[in-house]
Amino acid sequence: MGSGTKAPAPGFDRRTPASPGMKRYFFLAVVLLTSVPGVKPHTAVTINSVGLVILPSTSVASGTNVSLNCTVDISVLGSQPLLFQYKLLKNDEVVYSKNHTEQTLFYPIVGARASHSGRYKCSVTVESKSQDSQTKRLNISGLQKPTLTLSAQTVMEGQEVLAECSAPKETGSFIFYFHKGSSESMQSHATTNRAEKKIVFHPGERSAVIYCNFRIMTLPEAGESDRSNAVNVTIRELLKEPLFVIKPSEHIIEGDSLEAECSAYPQSSADTQILLKKGANILNVTRGRVTYSWTPRAEDAGEYVCVAELSLVKKETAKTVSVQELFSRPVLTPQPQEVNEGESFNLTCRSTSITKERISADDVKYSIYKGSQLLSPEHVNGVYSKKGATLEDGESYFCNASAKNITKSSEVMHFKVYALVSNPTIRVTDDVILGKDFKIECFSEWGTLPISYTLLKAHETINTTVQRHSRDRALFPVRIKRKEEIAEFKCEAQNRGPHSVKQSGMLNVQVIEPVSAAVLTALPNIVEGTNTSLSCAVQSGTPPITFKWYQTGNRKPLHTNFSTNNVGIYTFRASRDQSGTYYCTATNRALETKYSNQTAISVNLAEWKTTVIAVVTVLMLVCVAGFCVLWFRSRKAKKERDAELSVKPSSPTADEPLAVSLTNETEVYNAHKGAVPHCDVTEGKAANGTRDSIASFPVNSSSRSSRSSPVTV
């Protein structure tokens, strides 16, 4: 094989697209081979590649014929024809499919449009094996020029025409635009390539040019199409402007009468409706001709419009009426502008301008009203005076000016009469505690707001506040160090300048002095069963004072006393278990609790109990002493008997010799020396009180005699 080209394996045929002349032979061969008994189908096929070619180019103008060619390259075992399944996809959706025996598929697009733009690819399946080509994009630039048709090209005013815009070669979802001249545009949405729109021609239009274009919503990148053909429309006049006449003139003076006449043009239909209006108000309406008569006022000046209506057509004729004032609107003026109770005031009603060609100043009559009440008739000259204003005079006033059957009212004027402030009251809002902040309030029962309040102390200004609303309060925070300072405060109030100043009296309230340190006083030694008092006292403090007594270790007070002086007494009947340490507390409305010193109290026994204890103690001592004496004497007597027995033993028997042994240190008991004999019965020995003097006797009791026997020493 030539330079690096690998020969196909034996029995494999690398196929290229067949020529057109061979197509019929391949097809016949496939039919014959599949119909001959014993012929087996191909057992091995591999797809080498699938290609897609767009001709003449991937970007063409609208209306160009485009061909999409799909080619498959395979390797097979044998030479039997194969059946290929082709699918052509646009934007991943199948747009064309075909089973074909050839290795090339041609898909033509005749007169391609923007809707044909998209991403295309070819998919081929053969012998259960599939492969896709690379995706290629086809761009169709430009849109078809639409066609416009109208139901009529000559119409009357107000008549409609039906316009149809179509682009038969385009597909997709559309927005059609209908244009009347260059200023008016209408839209119509459609899912087909045509749309209709009703076009109305306005009064005054005599001709119009209609055209259309469109846009495909699914292809925004394609933009708008070119304009369609333009159609000229001729509009005939249906109704002419009405005739409008105002007599005697459009320029008058108040008090003059006017008549307006409005009628349809003589050639107009008898069905024409005529109406006369001013602004939004319709003055009169009828068919064919309308009249209206009135005596305008200055405020009636302005534009009047005569309207003729027929079917959907409306024509108007307007005229402007100017009305000169016969006299100006009156003005009510108070003098002075504001007054206090008891002061005098005047109200004057005047028109500042009068048309002297028609009337004189004396022809204008004035009347003044307080609310809805006409003031007394003698005030027709336009002046109302009153001495000694009261609060009831603070009302709403207005006046009327009348001449030649024309009456004009002034604006409503609110006249104010001030109530001078009354003498203020000074008070405190809470308890006054020495050394602590409290608030002083100043208020007046009477007086028109705003009221200015000033707090003075010893004739010096402390602070000033203004009460502007009834809910406001004049409060001044202060503090005093001495009780006497409370009487130095007073208030000033004013609401109409310095001449309205009123003063309160001096502040007179109780000043609460906090209690000083408490002192607990009690007897240190108290006798049980007696009435005992614990006093708790303070040096200073405003009563009432609350005293409480406590025993250490117990938070609950033993007693509470409300005292109107500086000392509180707690009296109780003493008992032994009340011994301990006590303290007390003192407090008053200043809410400062002061603690006393701690005092130890001892409750002693009652005197009779002491006497009984002493007597009992003495008796017990006597009994003990007597018992000791008796015991001593009994012991002494016993010892003497024992000693006597030891000196005089009983007589021995005939067969038992008597043996007595005495030491050489034995001494005779001498009673006057106070020697105390000791006897040890157990050992059978006797001692006379002298060291080492011991006498030994036989211990056998059977040999003893009841008689005394002389002993030789």
Side-chain angles (χ1 to χ4, degrees), residues 605-627:
L605 286 174
E607 293 182 359
W608 66 270
K609 289 185 179 181
T610 304
T611 303
V612 169
I613 292 172
V615 171
V616 171
T617 302
V618 170
L619 291 176
M620 289 179 66
L621 291 175
V622 170
C623 291
V624 170
F627 176 79

Side-chain angles (χ1 to χ4, degrees), residues 136-324:
K136 293 190 176 181
R137 182 169 184 82
L138 174 61
N139 295 314
I140 311 297
S141 60
L143 297 172
Q144 179 188 2
K145 181 179 180 179
T147 301
L148 176 69
T149 59
L150 297 180
S151 60
Q153 289 184 251
T154 301
V155 296
M156 299 296 290
E157 285 179 320
Q159 187 178 348
E160 297 177 341
V161 295
L162 185 63
E164 181 184 75
C165 187
S166 62
K169 295 182 179 180
E170 299 288 356
T171 59
S173 297
F174 295 83
I175 301 178
F176 286 93
Y177 301 94
F178 295 85
H179 304 271
K180 184 170 70 170
S182 59
S183 59
E184 190 172 352
S185 178
M186 296 158 282
Q187 293 185 13
S188 179
H189 293 258
T191 56
T192 62
N193 53 16
R194 66 182 62 249
E196 294 180 344
K197 194 73 176 178
K198 290 181 179 181
I199 299 176
V200 179
F201 298 96
H202 304 296
E205 290 183 305
R206 294 293 173 262
S207 64
V209 178
I210 310 298
Y211 63 92
C212 70
N213 65 342
F214 68 92
R215 179 191 294 272
I216 300 177
M217 290 187 290
T218 53
L219 295 171
E221 65 276 6
E224 289 188 0
S225 70
D226 293 335
R227 291 182 177 183
S228 70
N229 56 303
V231 180
N232 292 319
V233 179
T234 301
I235 302 104
R236 294 179 180 177
E237 187 176 39
L238 176 65
L239 184 66
K240 292 183 178 295
E241 285 81 5
L243 299 177
F244 190 17
V245 179
I246 296 179
K247 300 175 183 179
S249 172
E250 297 171 17
H251 306 284
I252 62 169
I253 298 175
E254 279 183 320
D256 296 345
S257 296
L258 282 183
E259 183 179 358
E261 181 179 327
C262 181
S263 61
Y265 198 80
Q267 286 77 20
S268 299
S269 169
D271 293 331
T272 303
Q273 179 176 271
I274 305 298
L275 61 88
L276 180 65
K277 68 175 186 175
K278 181 180 186 293
N281 297 322
I282 296 177
L283 305 177
N284 201 359
V285 59
T286 187
R287 293 190 180 277
R289 179 177 176 272
V290 67
T291 59
Y292 181 71
S293 299
W294 77 108
T295 302
R297 301 275 297 273
E299 57 268 22
D300 296 326
E303 185 180 67
Y304 290 78
V305 181
C306 176
V307 182
E309 293 183 348
L310 179 62
S311 185
L312 299 177
V313 180
K314 181 173 68 174
K315 297 292 180 67
E316 297 179 349
T317 301
K319 290 186 179 294
T320 300
V321 175
S322 63
V323 181
Q324 181 183 345

Side-chain angles (χ1 to χ4, degrees), residues 518-522 533-539 545-549 559-571 584-586:
V519 177
L520 179 66
T521 304
S533 296
L534 300 180
S535 68
C536 189
V538 294
Q539 289 292 331
I545 300 175
T546 301
F547 293 98
K548 294 182 180 181
W549 286 264
H559 182 67
T560 300
N561 176 250
F562 300 95
S563 176
T564 56
N565 52 47
N566 293 355
V567 179
I569 303 296
Y570 168 38
T571 302
C584 69
T585 63

Side-chain angles (χ1 to χ4, degrees), residues 68-109:
L68 281 69
N69 301 334
C70 181
T71 303
V72 60
D73 180 21
I74 64 171
S75 297
V76 299
L77 176 64
S79 59
Q80 186 174 348
L82 300 173
L83 185 62
F84 300 92
Q85 296 177 0
Y86 290 92
K87 291 182 181 179
L88 190 63
L89 294 89
K90 175 190 174 184
N91 298 331
D92 298 324
E93 293 185 2
V94 177
V95 295
Y96 181 73
S97 63
K98 184 178 181 180
N99 294 334
H100 199 31
T101 57
E102 297 184 1
Q103 291 178 245
T104 299
L105 176 69
F106 299 95
Y107 177 72
I109 302 177

